[in-house]
Amino acid sequence: MRKNIVAGNWKMNNSLQEGLDLAKDLQKTLKGKTLQCEVVICTPFIHLASILKEIDTIGLGAQNCADKVSGAYTGEVSAAMVASTGAQYVIIGHSERRAYYGETNAILKEKVLLALANDLTPIFCIGEVLPEREAGIQEQVVETQIRESLFDLSPADFGKIVLAYEPVWAIGTGKTATSEQAQEMHAFIRKTITGKYGKEIADNTSILYGGSANASNAKDLFSNPDVDGGLIGGASLGVDKFLPIIEAF
Ligand code: 13P
């Protein structure tokens, strides 16, 4: 059955020392607790190798990887390099990558293939911008993102993907999707997967919600049958804010 996951996306925050302190503090706090979800932190590349030494029950991920295997791509970090640090996850297709770095569905498809080839679990982000929600085309937008980047995968490979629905209008704005809006979209996403890969794979796919999730709304969001956890930005940057979200399960 699918896993519940609460993943922190640190984005471009924390020096190496600050990141190490946060990871150690989180690991110490979680040690010995019985949790109903897997906890993952997705850090800047520079933190990965050092943080891995400080955590044991927490999963570790990058926030991006290159769409090329290796070679003369100055400034890029490949999926193989991410995997070589010991990280297990990689966020792919975050709306900030799509909007600020021109990452298209076709580019993201390459990144997913390279992540899978290196045994990384992609946390693949999808979601509509505000004008698309206002025009009532959010389902079409999300369906296209999934189809164009993921639906050429074999059933076995698709089964390794974690999805994160992040309505762009809810990211960093303090404006969360309502619990009903989240459930409605997550159910649509699961139905879309069922249509392509069948019910068993769809039922086994973890679909996380992201966008201004915090200690006060997490319980409500996670109580929905199709919401399997969260991808948490701002509220993952302090143990005091992140822990109540983890414990919302
Ligand atoms: P916030 O939780 O800060 O809104 O960010 C969500 C997000 O983009 C996680 O990837």
Side-chain angles (χ1 to χ4, degrees), residues 9 11 94 96 166 170-173 210-213 231-235:
N9 174 7
K11 306 194 180 182
H94 193 281
E96 289 149 17
E166 300 205 304
I171 295 177
T173 57
S212 298
L231 184 56
I232 316 298

PDB file of all heavy atoms in Angstrom, residues 9 11 94 96 166 170-173 210-213 231-235, ligand 1:
ATOM      1  N   ASN A   9      11.047  20.736   1.822  1.00  0.00           N
ATOM      2  CA  ASN A   9      11.806  21.309   0.699  1.00  0.00           C
ATOM      3  C   ASN A   9      12.431  22.598   1.215  1.00  0.00           C
ATOM      4  O   ASN A   9      11.743  23.605   1.364  1.00  0.00           O
ATOM      5  CB  ASN A   9      10.861  21.585  -0.475  1.00  0.00           C
ATOM      6  CG  ASN A   9      11.560  22.311  -1.616  1.00  0.00           C
ATOM      7  OD1 ASN A   9      12.776  22.496  -1.598  1.00  0.00           O
ATOM      8  ND2 ASN A   9      10.789  22.742  -2.606  1.00  0.00           N
ATOM      9  N   LYS A  11      14.391  24.546  -0.206  1.00  0.00           N
ATOM     10  CA  LYS A  11      14.632  25.544  -1.252  1.00  0.00           C
ATOM     11  C   LYS A  11      16.056  26.124  -1.070  1.00  0.00           C
ATOM     12  O   LYS A  11      16.938  25.411  -0.605  1.00  0.00           O
ATOM     13  CB  LYS A  11      13.532  26.610  -1.244  1.00  0.00           C
ATOM     14  CG  LYS A  11      12.133  25.953  -1.342  1.00  0.00           C
ATOM     15  CD  LYS A  11      11.037  26.898  -1.661  1.00  0.00           C
ATOM     16  CE  LYS A  11       9.713  26.131  -1.731  1.00  0.00           C
ATOM     17  NZ  LYS A  11       8.590  26.983  -2.093  1.00  0.00           N
ATOM     18  N   HIS A  94       9.538  21.120  -9.778  1.00  0.00           N
ATOM     19  CA  HIS A  94       8.946  22.117  -8.882  1.00  0.00           C
ATOM     20  C   HIS A  94       8.538  23.343  -9.705  1.00  0.00           C
ATOM     21  O   HIS A  94       9.226  23.718 -10.658  1.00  0.00           O
ATOM     22  CB  HIS A  94       9.943  22.504  -7.789  1.00  0.00           C
ATOM     23  CG  HIS A  94       9.288  23.271  -6.693  1.00  0.00           C
ATOM     24  ND1 HIS A  94       9.002  24.610  -6.812  1.00  0.00           N
ATOM     25  CD2 HIS A  94       8.818  22.884  -5.476  1.00  0.00           C
ATOM     26  CE1 HIS A  94       8.380  25.017  -5.707  1.00  0.00           C
ATOM     27  NE2 HIS A  94       8.260  23.989  -4.885  1.00  0.00           N
ATOM     28  N   GLU A  96       8.846  26.360  -9.175  1.00  0.00           N
ATOM     29  CA  GLU A  96       9.883  27.402  -9.249  1.00  0.00           C
ATOM     30  C   GLU A  96      10.900  27.072 -10.337  1.00  0.00           C
ATOM     31  O   GLU A  96      11.418  27.969 -11.007  1.00  0.00           O
ATOM     32  CB  GLU A  96      10.539  27.570  -7.866  1.00  0.00           C
ATOM     33  CG  GLU A  96       9.562  28.240  -6.892  1.00  0.00           C
ATOM     34  CD  GLU A  96       9.709  27.840  -5.441  1.00  0.00           C
ATOM     35  OE1 GLU A  96      10.754  27.291  -5.057  1.00  0.00           O
ATOM     36  OE2 GLU A  96       8.750  28.089  -4.672  1.00  0.00           O
ATOM     37  N   GLU A 166       1.071  20.737  -6.100  1.00  0.00           N
ATOM     38  CA  GLU A 166       1.343  22.024  -5.479  1.00  0.00           C
ATOM     39  C   GLU A 166       0.693  23.124  -6.316  1.00  0.00           C
ATOM     40  O   GLU A 166       1.277  23.570  -7.320  1.00  0.00           O
ATOM     41  CB  GLU A 166       2.853  22.280  -5.403  1.00  0.00           C
ATOM     42  CG  GLU A 166       3.617  21.243  -4.609  1.00  0.00           C
ATOM     43  CD  GLU A 166       4.919  21.804  -4.056  1.00  0.00           C
ATOM     44  OE1 GLU A 166       5.750  22.299  -4.826  1.00  0.00           O
ATOM     45  OE2 GLU A 166       5.080  21.765  -2.829  1.00  0.00           O
ATOM     46  N   ALA A 170      -0.736  28.721  -4.110  1.00  0.00           N
ATOM     47  CA  ALA A 170      -0.699  28.435  -2.665  1.00  0.00           C
ATOM     48  C   ALA A 170       0.721  28.378  -2.123  1.00  0.00           C
ATOM     49  O   ALA A 170       0.911  28.268  -0.921  1.00  0.00           O
ATOM     50  CB  ALA A 170      -1.416  27.120  -2.381  1.00  0.00           C
ATOM     51  N   ILE A 171       1.725  28.465  -3.014  1.00  0.00           N
ATOM     52  CA  ILE A 171       3.110  28.287  -2.563  1.00  0.00           C
ATOM     53  C   ILE A 171       3.661  29.583  -2.001  1.00  0.00           C
ATOM     54  O   ILE A 171       3.738  30.598  -2.701  1.00  0.00           O
ATOM     55  CB  ILE A 171       4.007  27.786  -3.724  1.00  0.00           C
ATOM     56  CG1 ILE A 171       3.553  26.393  -4.165  1.00  0.00           C
ATOM     57  CG2 ILE A 171       5.469  27.766  -3.293  1.00  0.00           C
ATOM     58  CD1 ILE A 171       4.329  25.839  -5.342  1.00  0.00           C
ATOM     59  N   GLY A 172       4.024  29.542  -0.730  1.00  0.00           N
ATOM     60  CA  GLY A 172       4.664  30.696  -0.089  1.00  0.00           C
ATOM     61  C   GLY A 172       3.750  31.898   0.063  1.00  0.00           C
ATOM     62  O   GLY A 172       4.206  32.999   0.361  1.00  0.00           O
ATOM     63  N   THR A 173       2.454  31.712  -0.143  1.00  0.00           N
ATOM     64  CA  THR A 173       1.522  32.838  -0.120  1.00  0.00           C
ATOM     65  C   THR A 173       0.709  32.878   1.164  1.00  0.00           C
ATOM     66  O   THR A 173       0.014  33.856   1.427  1.00  0.00           O
ATOM     67  CB  THR A 173       0.516  32.721  -1.284  1.00  0.00           C
ATOM     68  OG1 THR A 173      -0.164  31.455  -1.165  1.00  0.00           O
ATOM     69  CG2 THR A 173       1.212  32.789  -2.622  1.00  0.00           C
ATOM     70  N   GLY A 210       1.309  20.216  -1.486  1.00  0.00           N
ATOM     71  CA  GLY A 210       2.231  21.278  -1.092  1.00  0.00           C
ATOM     72  C   GLY A 210       1.663  22.651  -1.378  1.00  0.00           C
ATOM     73  O   GLY A 210       0.969  22.858  -2.388  1.00  0.00           O
ATOM     74  N   GLY A 211       1.964  23.590  -0.512  1.00  0.00           N
ATOM     75  CA  GLY A 211       1.500  24.971  -0.695  1.00  0.00           C
ATOM     76  C   GLY A 211       0.944  25.510   0.604  1.00  0.00           C
ATOM     77  O   GLY A 211      -0.204  25.221   0.953  1.00  0.00           O
ATOM     78  N   SER A 212       1.788  26.239   1.356  1.00  0.00           N
ATOM     79  CA  SER A 212       1.387  26.845   2.632  1.00  0.00           C
ATOM     80  C   SER A 212       0.812  25.841   3.626  1.00  0.00           C
ATOM     81  O   SER A 212      -0.055  26.189   4.429  1.00  0.00           O
ATOM     82  CB  SER A 212       0.405  28.008   2.396  1.00  0.00           C
ATOM     83  OG  SER A 212       1.023  29.021   1.637  1.00  0.00           O
ATOM     84  N   ALA A 213       1.286  24.611   3.558  1.00  0.00           N
ATOM     85  CA  ALA A 213       0.887  23.640   4.585  1.00  0.00           C
ATOM     86  C   ALA A 213       1.609  24.007   5.878  1.00  0.00           C
ATOM     87  O   ALA A 213       2.776  24.407   5.851  1.00  0.00           O
ATOM     88  CB  ALA A 213       1.248  22.218   4.160  1.00  0.00           C
ATOM     89  N   LEU A 231       4.464  18.178   0.894  1.00  0.00           N
ATOM     90  CA  LEU A 231       5.765  18.719   0.514  1.00  0.00           C
ATOM     91  C   LEU A 231       5.779  20.131   1.091  1.00  0.00           C
ATOM     92  O   LEU A 231       5.005  20.996   0.665  1.00  0.00           O
ATOM     93  CB  LEU A 231       5.936  18.712  -1.012  1.00  0.00           C
ATOM     94  CG  LEU A 231       7.290  19.159  -1.549  1.00  0.00           C
ATOM     95  CD1 LEU A 231       8.440  18.348  -0.954  1.00  0.00           C
ATOM     96  CD2 LEU A 231       7.339  19.028  -3.078  1.00  0.00           C
ATOM     97  N   ILE A 232       6.644  20.320   2.076  1.00  0.00           N
ATOM     98  CA  ILE A 232       6.548  21.488   2.945  1.00  0.00           C
ATOM     99  C   ILE A 232       7.725  22.419   2.703  1.00  0.00           C
ATOM    100  O   ILE A 232       8.879  21.994   2.824  1.00  0.00           O
ATOM    101  CB  ILE A 232       6.576  21.044   4.439  1.00  0.00           C
ATOM    102  CG1 ILE A 232       5.679  19.814   4.689  1.00  0.00           C
ATOM    103  CG2 ILE A 232       6.224  22.196   5.357  1.00  0.00           C
ATOM    104  CD1 ILE A 232       4.218  20.020   4.396  1.00  0.00           C
ATOM    105  N   GLY A 233       7.438  23.676   2.382  1.00  0.00           N
ATOM    106  CA  GLY A 233       8.507  24.647   2.158  1.00  0.00           C
ATOM    107  C   GLY A 233       8.872  25.352   3.447  1.00  0.00           C
ATOM    108  O   GLY A 233       9.576  24.819   4.298  1.00  0.00           O
ATOM    109  N   GLY A 234       8.355  26.561   3.624  1.00  0.00           N
ATOM    110  CA  GLY A 234       8.714  27.414   4.763  1.00  0.00           C
ATOM    111  C   GLY A 234       8.657  26.709   6.106  1.00  0.00           C
ATOM    112  O   GLY A 234       9.562  26.872   6.939  1.00  0.00           O
ATOM    113  N   ALA A 235       7.629  25.925   6.319  1.00  0.00           N
ATOM    114  CA  ALA A 235       7.446  25.294   7.637  1.00  0.00           C
ATOM    115  C   ALA A 235       8.375  24.096   7.859  1.00  0.00           C
ATOM    116  O   ALA A 235       8.306  23.450   8.896  1.00  0.00           O
ATOM    117  CB  ALA A 235       5.988  24.879   7.820  1.00  0.00           C
TER     118      ALA A 235
HETATM  119  P1  13P B   1       5.478  26.614   1.167  1.00  0.00           P
HETATM  120  O1  13P B   1       5.166  25.490   2.131  1.00  0.00           O
HETATM  121  O2  13P B   1       6.515  27.564   1.702  1.00  0.00           O
HETATM  122  O3  13P B   1       4.241  27.282   0.660  1.00  0.00           O
HETATM  123  O4  13P B   1       6.185  25.927  -0.101  1.00  0.00           O
HETATM  124  C1  13P B   1       5.607  24.812  -0.677  1.00  0.00           C
HETATM  125  C2  13P B   1       6.544  24.257  -1.651  1.00  0.00           C
HETATM  126  O5  13P B   1       6.808  24.846  -2.692  1.00  0.00           O
HETATM  127  C3  13P B   1       7.177  22.961  -1.340  1.00  0.00           C
HETATM  128  O6  13P B   1       7.841  22.450  -2.424  1.00  0.00           O
END
